Amino acid sequence: MTTTEWITDIALILVVFRQLREGRLDLKSFLIPLGIVAFVAYSYLDTIPTAGNDLVLIGGLMSVGAALGVAGGIYTRIRSVGEHVLIKAGAVSAILWVLGMGARMGFQLWVEHGGGADDVARFSITHHITSEHAWVAAFVLMALTEVVTRLATIFVRSRTRTVTRPVPVFDRTA
């Protein structure tokens, strides 16, 4: 793994730790994780392979990312205090986030340094996965899907808070 890969993988894992302490739901809460995954997608997602069962692999891992993201968003505590919405990632949310983001990093380490390359090659041949680009696309899109669905779940839940006036979700006065 390159230094950039280590930094982006660790940054994605650490994003949730920022939310272990309760804080305001503001624009930064959305832009930081979206910015990191946008950078990862831009850096590693050249194409989306469609031959063989590549789309099945990609769709499967995106489904896992969506499930982890929705569950992580549900297990994030959201409450209203005055005009502000506060969020705090709970233990379940943090575990799901680290599990999803760590899985990609663990898979990459296993393939590159843990002797998993032959196993992945055999699996790919058996299941008609055409190239390593399918694996890259699947894991990048899994991470992107997890981030987007978690943030969307948090956003929807924050908008349904029962308050007497509109909740300023994108409060910039942090």
Side-chain angles (χ1 to χ4, degrees), residues 18-24 77-81 85-89:
R18 178 178 175 260
Q19 294 178 356
L20 287 175
R21 207 182 71 205
E22 187 174 55
R24 277 202 230 173
R77 188 178 83 190
I78 300 173
R79 67 186 185 104
S80 299
V81 175
V85 175
L86 303 177
I87 62 169
K88 181 179 185 204

Side-chain angles (χ1 to χ4, degrees), residues 21-48:
R21 207 182 71 205
E22 187 174 55
R24 277 202 230 173
L25 181 64
D26 57 12
L27 192 57
K28 289 186 297 188
S29 304
F30 294 94
L31 291 181
I32 291 172
L34 286 174
I36 294 170
V37 293
F39 171 77
V40 170
Y42 175 78
S43 298
Y44 299 104
L45 197 59
D46 297 325
T47 63
I48 298 178

